[in-house]
Amino acid sequence: MDVSGGQSVYPLHRCKTIHLVRHAQGIHNVEGEKDHSAYLSRHLFDAHLTSLGWQQVDNLRKHVQTSGISKKVELVITSPLLRCMQTAVGVFGGEDSTDGIDVPPLMVTDAGDSNHPAISSSNCPPFIAVEGCREHLGVHWCDKRRSISEYKPLFPAIDFSLIESDDDVLWEADVREKIEDVASRGIAFFKWLWTRKEKEIAIVTHSGLLTHTLAKFGDDCHPDVKSEICRRFQNCELRTMVLVDRSMVGSDSSATDYLGKNPSGEDAPSDVTCTTPDGLPN
């Protein structure tokens, strides 16, 4: 019989806090709203942010700073597509880069037709690009990435070392990734997060990946909670969730648990009836 009242208890070290962010408005969003067939257009290849998108980035940046999220995030993971990397560095990066700073910038001036000043990598968490959190693959040119060798000079402080191929070998011009494959890829990405030591991670990704992956979660919850998990992300929306390891995927031990008995001594629980040697209650 379930007496938990719909609640769950999990060890803290088997949980991660993830801040899920959909990229800000890109040029493909504007054209796709007018005509869905625009997504097939080559001129939307690796779509960059619009000027409105950069305003959305600035507003989310203010929110993560005033809410304290920016001080808690230990790692920023971004899809290796231009619009996500622009969003990621704009929201979670350092202040605008200035002369005399000897660390590489997260983004150089005007990267990806941004008309935006350089963004510093000072006083911010590390950034890594991961293929597993890319958008729905294939057919739509906005979802095809450039070569990593093109990205590196634009985003010098982003770590691209986890991406094996310089060219985009995942995107196909005439084959659209199946929805169930997008969801499987997203779930595999979530499992991969358990290989990371960081406990609080920001992930900047895409609506398709988020929608199809999160739809696989929450079936054991109240319908309203399921709806909250699965609700479609708006441009530059941030939603904070807790990822729970219920299958021993991760191997981290607790950094806060304390075993007690130091020094060692008798510790029979108070609700256990103690008896004297003659069998009488003590």
Side-chain angles (χ1 to χ4, degrees), residues 93-120:
E95 297 300 324
D96 291 346
S97 186
T98 58
D99 293 339
I101 297 179
D102 59 0
V103 295
L106 278 167
M107 187 182 84
V108 300
T109 301
D110 198 30
D113 298 322
S114 64
N115 193 31
H116 194 283
I119 296 174
S120 173

Side-chain angles (χ1 to χ4, degrees), residues 44-63:
L44 293 179
F45 167 55
D46 195 18
H48 59 79
L49 297 186
T50 64
S51 58
L52 176 61
W54 279 107
Q55 292 176 40
Q56 293 170 343
V57 166
D58 290 342
N59 287 335
L60 180 54
R61 180 183 180 83
K62 292 174 185 174
H63 169 73

Side-chain angles (χ1 to χ4, degrees), residues 23-282:
H23 63 79
Q25 186 194 67
I27 58 171
H28 66 302
N29 296 130
V30 176
E31 297 204 23
E33 283 287 329
K34 298 174 184 175
D35 178 7
H36 191 269
S37 66
Y39 291 121
L40 304 175
S41 176
R42 285 175 177 263
H43 83 274
L44 293 179
F45 167 55
D46 195 18
H48 59 79
L49 297 186
T50 64
S51 58
L52 176 61
W54 279 107
Q55 292 176 40
Q56 293 170 343
V57 166
D58 290 342
N59 287 335
L60 180 54
R61 180 183 180 83
K62 292 174 185 174
H63 169 73
V64 301
Q65 290 179 336
T66 57
S67 65
I69 292 174
S70 60
K71 294 185 182 301
K72 298 176 182 178
V73 169
E74 301 168 71
L75 176 69
V76 179
I77 298 174
T78 178
S79 158
L81 286 172
L82 188 56
R83 58 190 182 270
C84 279
M85 293 189 289
Q86 289 177 327
T87 301
V89 300
V91 172
F92 297 103
E95 297 300 324
D96 291 346
S97 186
T98 58
D99 293 339
I101 297 179
D102 59 0
V103 295
L106 278 167
M107 187 182 84
V108 300
T109 301
D110 198 30
D113 298 322
S114 64
N115 193 31
H116 194 283
I119 296 174
S120 173
S121 61
S122 297
N123 302 314
C124 63
F127 285 66
I128 59 173
V130 177
E131 295 265 46
C133 62
R134 283 180 60 175
E135 181 57 297
H136 201 154
L137 294 163
V139 181
H140 295 176
W141 280 87
C142 55
D143 301 329
K144 178 176 173 60
R145 70 164 171 82
R146 302 170 195 269
S147 66
I148 299 304
S149 56
E150 289 180 81
Y151 285 143
K152 284 183 176 179
L154 301 178
F155 301 93
I158 292 182
D159 181 357
F160 293 96
S161 63
L162 295 179
I163 299 179
E164 297 179 355
S165 175
D166 186 47
D167 293 326
D168 188 354
V169 297
L170 300 177
W171 186 91
E172 297 180 72
D174 55 354
V175 179
R176 187 74 167 157
E177 188 178 17
K178 295 178 181 178
I179 288 176
E180 55 265 32
D181 291 340
V182 179
S184 295
R185 178 162 56 84
I187 291 171
F189 169 73
F190 277 3
K191 286 183 177 179
W192 171 81
L193 292 176
W194 291 105
T195 69
R196 304 291 313 189
K197 67 181 185 302
E198 298 87 359
K199 293 299 184 183
E200 191 145 350
I201 302 173
I203 301 161
V204 183
T205 181
H206 306 264
S207 62
L209 188 283
L210 289 167
T211 297
H212 300 312
T213 302
L214 294 176
K216 299 297 182 181
F217 293 89
D219 289 338
D220 55 347
C221 300
H222 186 282
D224 288 349
V225 177
K226 169 79 172 179
S227 296
E228 186 177 356
I229 293 171
C230 300
R231 177 169 47 85
R232 186 174 182 271
F233 277 69
Q234 302 299 312
N235 282 128
C236 219
E237 179 179 355
L238 179 150
R239 226 176 286 169
T240 301
M241 299 192 185
V242 176
L243 189 63
V244 176
D245 176 15
R246 295 192 291 185
S247 303
M248 299 287 286
V249 176
S251 59
D252 289 351
S253 59
S254 174
T256 57
D257 289 358
Y258 182 76
L259 295 178
K261 295 200 75 172
N262 182 19
S264 181
E266 297 295 331
D267 62 353
S270 60
D271 59 352
V272 175
T273 300
C274 298
T275 58
T276 61
D278 57 4
L280 298 174
N282 187 6

